[in-house]
Amino acid sequence: MRADGGEARALTAAPGGVSAYAWSPDSARIAFVSQDARSADQTAAQDRRDDAEVFEGPFRPRHLWLIAAAGDAPASRLTEGSTFTVDADEPSSSPDGTRLAFGAGVTPMLRDERHDVHALDVAARTKAAISTNGGRDGEPRWSPDGRWIAWIEDPNTATPLADGTLPGQVNQSHLVLYDVEARRVRSAASPSFDLQPRTPFWSHDSRTVLFTAGRRAYADAFAYDVGAGTYTQLTTDRTLQIGSLAGNGRVVAVTMDTPRAPSDVFVTGPDFGAFRKVSDANPQASAFALGETEVVTWKSPDGTEVEGVLLKPLGFQAGQRYPTLVVAHGGPAGAYTNNYRVGGLEGGQVWAGEGWAVFYPNPRGSTNYGERFLRANVDDWGGGDFKDIMSGIDALVARGVTDADKVALIGWSYGGYMTAWSITQTTRFKAAMVGAGLTNLWSMYGTNDIPNVLDGYFGGIAGPERLPAYMERSAMTRIDKVTTPTLVLHGGSDQRVPIGQGQELFRGLKDRGVPTELVLYPREGHGISEYYHLKDRLTRIHDWITRYTTGGGGKTTSRH
């Protein structure tokens, strides 16, 4: 569609859809990524339900295509190969439009870390890998002067498994530069910058790489000076993501939210000095009554400083104690930021409006606090991280915010793991919700699509020598200790954390007389996306937690 108006027109009709695209510098062509179509025989077999599937292959890879923006010629295919699949990320063109940089892997399996950055000659249709890291490399961006390509690497030096894939390793991503003329990779990792950079963007003069990174309870903008090899923080206490640069790099478009306003588009200069709002995607939000947020810190029993976000009840009064909902984050390499909390898993501001405090802890193992903190729960799931969360609750009780007799815990994915584990360790929670949670790490390893994550955290693949480590930190090993009424929610088609994990927890609680309910959401994977399922999840969590914590609750959960 023309930027100055008019009707949109379809440019492609790729059977495999378009997962990413990029304009050529002269705006004459568009490179795009599309999954290979099924053959006629495969389509016919699928239509008659002759559709037996081989687990983990064969795959329909993604490939790179090129089409004229005028639409006067069919798309041409740029890459080939059944053991070569292009990443579903935006490719990047050289300034003269003759070459493309893109990420690609051996298979599309999420557990397969063998992804490299490739450079392709558009005219010759020849490509070559230019990254040298054993792990995942991706999101390449060509500099405006054509001299450099910047990308993000996940370092991995592990010995490959029997099928050629790599065991997981827990470490931070790094910014990498590639000297195009010298054909040499240069790492931009530095002890002075202990955070994880996200998608890189180049300044118009090719002297600086701009990016965002999680920093404690925020996501700020940073710059890397290519010549000096130094990092500079450009913003403080923002939660933003860079979208694009225009006007020869003089205008930067970002999305940004705050604790009091949902995400919108803003424009700023390359120094990120002032922001001008240019969208109002949710005007109705200006009428919402919102609780205040506060970034809080406390000391864990071993002296580790831990941070989190406290959402206070609407009309909060110091000295008054409130029922408190604790929300454990997923990952475990994730982190809560001090941002807008109306949607999501729990709809935090809904609870604040009903007189609850909501606590979002970032225990050890979280990102945004450096590599040492990130790796602090390796071989220690449910150890130091559990103590971090519990001591955070203690700190809120000591401060006079939390009513110690009215505390509930919920979480999704690793947050579900932490919830399931916590109710085997303590009886302080009046109610719990385990969402898509890992409950038996031994069976989890053999049934999920990212077993290398457990491998990386527990020092090896599941086998006799590692059985004690896997079972020692599984909630099912201590299921007989649970007395907390627990709601279990799970996507019916979840491959990340298969439904057996929720079923095991439910059966263990049900047979022991602990109030529990298992709800499966058909068609949903590891995340929930359908409208009625999202609505049900919010309502069901609310009813379960309030019923057993404060005596409230609605009609969506069964009486026990």
Side-chain angles (χ1 to χ4, degrees):
M1 186 171 70
R2 291 183 58 86
D4 57 1
E7 294 299 319
R9 59 186 174 86
L11 190 60
T12 65
V18 174
S19 55
Y21 66 92
W23 287 89
S24 62
D26 61 3
S27 301
R29 298 176 296 179
I30 298 174
F32 66 93
V33 180
S34 180
Q35 186 178 30
D36 282 0
R38 293 183 177 89
S39 67
D41 288 344
Q42 289 172 330
T43 300
Q46 186 180 49
D47 289 344
R48 65 175 181 266
R49 297 190 177 182
D50 179 13
D51 54 357
E53 293 185 1
V54 178
F55 183 64
E56 292 193 345
F59 304 101
R60 286 194 297 135
R62 292 181 297 266
H63 282 289
L64 199 59
W65 294 71
L66 191 67
I67 191 167
D72 53 1
S76 59
R77 182 168 171 143
L78 300 179
T79 61
E80 301 284 348
S82 59
T83 58
F84 182 87
T85 184
V86 177
D87 294 347
D89 295 320
E90 179 183 337
S92 179
S93 176
S94 62
D96 61 8
T98 62
R99 289 173 291 177
L100 287 168
F102 59 95
V106 179
T107 74
M109 293 189 298
L110 189 61
R111 72 177 181 88
D112 194 343
E113 295 291 314
R114 298 172 296 173
H115 284 249
D116 283 307
V117 171
H118 295 255
L120 177 140
D121 185 303
V122 174
R125 304 293 199 265
T126 57
K127 67 181 186 316
I130 58 176
S131 57
T132 56
N133 168 45
R136 187 179 296 268
D137 298 273
E139 300 182 281
R141 293 292 185 273
W142 218 300
S143 65
D145 64 3
R147 180 181 174 186
W148 301 98
I149 302 174
W151 67 76
I152 305 298
E153 73 165 13
D154 292 334
N156 194 318
T157 58
T159 301
L161 299 173
D163 65 355
T165 63
L166 297 171
Q169 290 191 329
V170 183
N171 46 34
Q172 292 195 143
S173 304
H174 300 297
L175 177 67
V176 168
L177 299 179
Y178 178 75
D179 186 320
V180 176
E181 183 177 352
R183 300 183 180 182
R184 185 170 57 246
V185 174
R186 170 180 140 189
S187 174
S190 169
S192 65
F193 181 78
D194 197 15
L195 299 172
Q196 298 206 65
R198 297 172 185 168
T199 305
F201 293 83
W202 283 95
S203 63
H204 73 285
D205 59 8
S206 301
R207 296 178 179 179
T208 305
V209 180
L210 305 173
F211 59 91
T212 57
R215 183 192 61 83
R216 299 185 71 89
Y218 296 93
D220 279 307
F222 294 81
Y224 175 76
D225 187 302
V226 175
T230 56
Y231 288 89
T232 302
Q233 184 173 332
L234 301 176
T235 63
T236 301
D237 295 349
R238 301 278 190 176
T239 52
L240 59 82
Q241 294 295 325
I242 300 174
S244 63
L245 278 69
N248 289 328
R250 295 180 177 85
V251 178
V252 183
V254 305
T255 55
M256 182 168 60
D257 66 351
T258 71
R260 302 201 63 80
S263 186
D264 267 304
V265 179
F266 294 76
V267 293
T268 183
D271 61 351
F272 288 75
F275 293 88
R276 179 169 60 89
K277 184 178 176 182
V278 295
S279 75
D280 191 10
N282 294 279
Q284 73 282 2
S286 62
F288 294 172
L290 302 175
E292 298 291 334
T293 64
E294 178 187 348
V295 177
V296 294
T297 59
W298 65 95
K299 289 291 182 69
S300 202
D302 64 358
T304 300
E305 183 180 271
V306 190
E307 187 176 69
V309 178
L310 172 65
L311 172 57
K312 299 176 183 178
L314 198 64
F316 172 79
Q317 294 182 7
Q320 180 178 338
R321 294 188 181 275
Y322 298 91
T324 300
L325 179 66
V326 182
V327 189
H329 70 61
Y336 284 119
T337 56
N338 187 24
N339 63 349
Y340 192 66
R341 302 210 165 276
V342 169
L345 172 64
E346 78 298 329
Q349 289 286 358
V350 174
W351 294 84
E354 295 187 353
W356 285 65
V358 188
F359 180 41
Y360 303 93
N362 286 335
R364 66 193 72 189
S366 301
T367 54
N368 297 8
Y369 298 90
E371 185 151 358
R372 182 177 178 182
F373 196 83
L374 174 70
R375 292 182 47 80
N377 68 338
V378 172
D379 233 354
D380 192 38
W381 281 22
D385 46 10
F386 167 73
K387 294 174 183 176
D388 292 346
I389 293 174
M390 298 302 288
S391 58
I393 299 169
D394 291 339
L396 294 180
V397 172
R399 217 179 110 173
V401 173
T402 293
D403 184 338
D405 294 324
K406 296 179 180 178
V407 183
L409 176 64
I410 69 171
W412 198 267
S413 193
Y414 185 80
Y417 165 83
M418 184 54 64
T419 303
W421 173 259
S422 296
I423 60 177
T424 72
Q425 305 297 304
T426 179
T427 58
R428 81 183 303 174
F429 300 110
K430 301 302 179 184
M433 188 286 295
V434 175
L438 300 75
T439 64
N440 182 339
L441 301 182
W442 186 256
S443 58
M444 170 72 179
Y445 177 86
T447 57
N448 84 110
D449 65 353
I450 50 170
N452 56 322
V453 171
L454 289 177
D455 183 355
Y457 276 100
F458 285 89
I461 62 175
E465 69 285 354
R466 300 306 300 164
L467 175 60
Y470 279 75
M471 296 310 297
E472 171 65 23
R473 298 304 171 92
S474 293
M476 294 308 299
T477 303
R478 293 173 171 78
I479 193 66
D480 59 319
K481 304 295 184 184
V482 181
T483 60
T484 305
T486 302
L487 175 65
V488 185
L489 305 179
H490 223 107
S493 300
D494 193 348
Q495 296 183 43
R496 195 69 21 84
V497 180
I499 62 173
Q501 296 294 303
Q503 290 171 325
E504 287 191 46
L505 179 63
F506 170 76
R507 183 57 57 208
L509 298 176
K510 187 75 171 179
D511 288 353
R512 289 167 174 81
V514 179
T516 186
E517 187 169 275
L518 171 62
V519 180
L520 301 177
Y521 294 106
R523 300 173 299 280
E524 301 283 13
H526 194 51
I528 304 299
S529 61
E530 295 185 22
Y531 170 80
Y532 287 106
H533 291 165
L534 288 168
K535 181 180 178 182
D536 181 89
R537 183 174 69 172
L538 282 166
T539 307
R540 198 175 293 274
I541 292 172
H542 174 271
D543 289 356
W544 184 275
I545 296 301
T546 55
R547 170 175 297 164
Y548 288 102
T549 307
T550 61
K555 300 178 180 179
T556 60
T557 55
S558 304
R559 292 286 182 184
H560 294 275

